[in-house]
Amino acid sequence: MTDALQPRFRRLLVTGGAGFIGSCFVRDLLARRDGSRVSVLDKLTYAGNRANLAPVEADPEQASRFRFVVGDIADPAVVAPLVAESDAVVNFAAESHVDRSILDPEAFLRTDVLGVHVLLEACRAERERVRAGDRAAAPRFLQVSTDEVYGSVATGASREDDRLEPRSPYSSAKAAGELLVHSYFVTYGLDAVVTRGSNTYGPYHHPEKLIPLFITNAMDDQPLPLYGDGLQRRDWLYVADHAGAIGHVLEHGVAGETYNVSGGNERTNREVVTALLARLGKPWSLVRTVEDRPGHDRRYAMDGSKLSALGWTNTMTFEEGLAATVDWFRDNQNWWRAIKSGEWDDYYRRQYGARLAGSREAT
Ligand code: NAD
Ligand code: DAU
């Protein structure tokens, strides 16, 4: 984030701030000690974790500028007063895991579509208050979206005005959410911006996702379930770079515009797994070929030049970021072992039980 001493927005509402990327955004923002205040609204679903914000709550100065509210972005009664006292709303809240969207799509529609609608309505009400002279400016709204809205990209790199072709319940719900945001910019003049981020990785990443799942399974010498041929390609973005880019777009983005946040680190899943096993000193023989994800997008890649032109560049290479991530998981076993218990066991059985039973050694 930039302009550390002169934040454009002093009172932020960060929804989904107890999740992976949202908590990084909050930790990094408050650590700037620039006087800005943050309210986190989070439903604390299976993916939300107050421990992700422990560094903030343990620091008296940061804690004095921080408030945590447990609640649902799809609940207007909770949302309206929080939006009313905010200069900006940054919406990270979402159901975020593609595999869970294939098992149970409904929660994705409620949060990723209806939840966005409720937040937008609250911002629209603030615009009315501005018109009535009750406040000076309506809040800026930033929607955190994803490269998955472009669908699978065989060649080249997606640009912001490319057609959206989402292919999973998750990416379709995310696309619907950001289209709603755009409609509120066009129809009601809401000050809104959208970011589309690449596959993000780093500390505090929920262990349901590829990199943390494979790191933590490998640490316990458990099988690593690689979908299909493992030659799917993703573009990897370090979490602090993603959070920083979101802060940059919040401060400098042009209303109504969408910005790709590309990692510039395209790798096959096999390359990623090889690299993390090398860092851990664990053998490839842990990897099992399992039945593929239905509708599995083969490749994501985005052109990041629009955000570069706005003045943002990533700082972390994939090699450094992956090493830091592996080391963090090695040093923070209490954090992930607590998550890989309880509800986790049912999910793991549902997602991987039959897959692992029918798996074969990965060549
Ligand atoms: P996450 O699953 O780790 O965190 C989501 C957070 O939202 C959790 O704290 C959860 O409790 C909260 N939440 C869920 N439903 C809610 C509701 N109805 N009301 C309030 N809070 C709710 O997700 P993440 O990986 O940190 O992703 C954050 C955002 O970034 C999401 O919008 C996601 O679509 C987007 N994104 C993620 C990636 C990635 O690779 N992780 C990449 C691009 C974009
Ligand atoms: O691209 C951005 C998206 O990245 C975000 O919008 C999503 O919120 C985030 O979850 C992520 O989606 P992916 O589906 O790409 O991430 P995931 O970690 O689930 O999978 C990464 C790749 O690894 C994908 O090709 C599927 C594969 N995979 C994943 C898991 C969990 C496996 O081979 N085995 C697994 O067990």
Side-chain angles (χ1 to χ4, degrees), residues 96-99 145-148 170 197-200 205 208-211 213-214 225-227 232-234 236 269 290 293 296-297 300 347 352:
S96 70
H97 192 32
V98 173
D99 290 326
S145 191
T146 167
D147 61 0
E148 300 207 8
Y170 163 69
S198 295
N199 272 69
T200 305
H205 201 184
E208 68 191 354
K209 308 283 169 47
L210 175 78
I211 288 181
L213 179 70
F214 279 30
L226 188 66
Y227 296 158
Q232 304 84 4
R233 304 180 81 88
R234 297 288 184 268
W236 294 96
N269 292 342
V290 301
R293 172 185 281 176
H296 198 166
D297 286 339
Y300 303 131
Y347 165 71
Y352 296 106

Side-chain angles (χ1 to χ4, degrees), residues 246-317:
I246 287 166
H248 190 83
V249 171
L250 183 68
E251 293 196 21
H252 302 288
V254 175
E257 294 293 321
T258 296
Y259 298 89
N260 290 342
V261 187
S262 159
N265 291 300
E266 188 177 333
R267 299 281 188 288
T268 66
N269 292 342
R270 278 175 175 269
E271 288 168 340
V272 170
V273 176
T274 302
L276 68 84
L277 285 172
R279 181 75 185 179
L280 283 166
K282 294 286 184 178
W284 178 262
S285 57
L286 288 173
V287 183
R288 305 290 302 177
T289 294
V290 301
E291 183 191 333
D292 209 346
R293 172 185 281 176
H296 198 166
D297 286 339
R298 195 72 180 161
R299 176 174 177 263
Y300 303 131
M302 289 190 297
D303 181 318
S305 54
K306 184 171 173 183
L307 184 56
S308 300
L310 197 69
W312 176 256
T313 42
N314 291 332
T315 57
M316 193 67 112
T317 66

Side-chain angles (χ1 to χ4, degrees), residues 70-338:
V70 180
D72 188 339
I73 60 163
D75 181 348
V78 175
V79 164
L82 291 170
V83 172
E85 62 180 33
S86 302
D87 304 322
V89 179
V90 185
N91 181 32
F92 292 92
E95 290 292 337
S96 70
H97 192 32
V98 173
D99 290 326
R100 291 191 195 247
S101 86
I102 293 167
L103 293 171
D104 292 310
E106 197 171 314
F108 289 72
L109 298 185
R110 180 169 166 80
T111 293
D112 302 10
V113 186
L114 186 61
V116 175
H117 162 74
V118 169
L119 291 170
L120 290 169
E121 277 295 295
C123 292
R124 181 158 83 99
E126 292 310 299
R127 270 189 69 76
E128 292 309 314
R129 286 184 59 212
V130 172
R131 285 217 173 87
D134 288 345
R135 67 179 282 179
R140 165 159 268 210
F141 186 86
L142 187 147
Q143 170 69 3
V144 180
S145 191
T146 167
D147 61 0
E148 300 207 8
V149 297
Y150 294 115
S152 197
V153 183
T155 55
S158 306
R159 295 178 66 90
E160 286 82 352
D161 51 5
D162 282 358
R163 192 180 144 155
L164 304 188
E165 297 187 64
R167 289 155 33 91
S168 72
Y170 163 69
S171 54
S172 303
K174 290 295 293 184
E178 63 164 91
L179 289 175
L180 275 176
V181 174
H182 191 66
S183 78
Y184 273 64
F185 164 74
V186 172
T187 309
Y188 305 113
L190 215 75
D191 176 8
V193 283
V194 174
T195 57
R196 293 185 184 138
S198 295
N199 272 69
T200 305
Y201 70 101
Y204 300 96
H205 201 184
H206 193 283
E208 68 191 354
K209 308 283 169 47
L210 175 78
I211 288 181
L213 179 70
F214 279 30
I215 292 172
T216 57
N217 277 13
M219 283 174 59
D220 285 346
D221 297 311
Q222 293 298 307
L224 313 186
L226 188 66
Y227 296 158
D229 62 10
L231 293 175
Q232 304 84 4
R233 304 180 81 88
R234 297 288 184 268
D235 169 33
W236 294 96
L237 171 65
Y238 192 65
V239 63
D241 278 333
H242 192 168
I246 287 166
H248 190 83
V249 171
L250 183 68
E251 293 196 21
H252 302 288
V254 175
E257 294 293 321
T258 296
Y259 298 89
N260 290 342
V261 187
S262 159
N265 291 300
E266 188 177 333
R267 299 281 188 288
T268 66
N269 292 342
R270 278 175 175 269
E271 288 168 340
V272 170
V273 176
T274 302
L276 68 84
L277 285 172
R279 181 75 185 179
L280 283 166
K282 294 286 184 178
W284 178 262
S285 57
L286 288 173
V287 183
R288 305 290 302 177
T289 294
V290 301
E291 183 191 333
D292 209 346
R293 172 185 281 176
H296 198 166
D297 286 339
R298 195 72 180 161
R299 176 174 177 263
Y300 303 131
M302 289 190 297
D303 181 318
S305 54
K306 184 171 173 183
L307 184 56
S308 300
L310 197 69
W312 176 256
T313 42
N314 291 332
T315 57
M316 193 67 112
T317 66
F318 183 67
E319 289 66 33
E320 288 168 340
L322 191 66
T325 303
V326 169
D327 295 352
W328 187 89
F329 277 88
R330 202 159 34 199
D331 296 343
N332 289 275
Q333 296 195 33
N334 288 345
W335 181 87
W336 59 262
R337 287 194 189 283

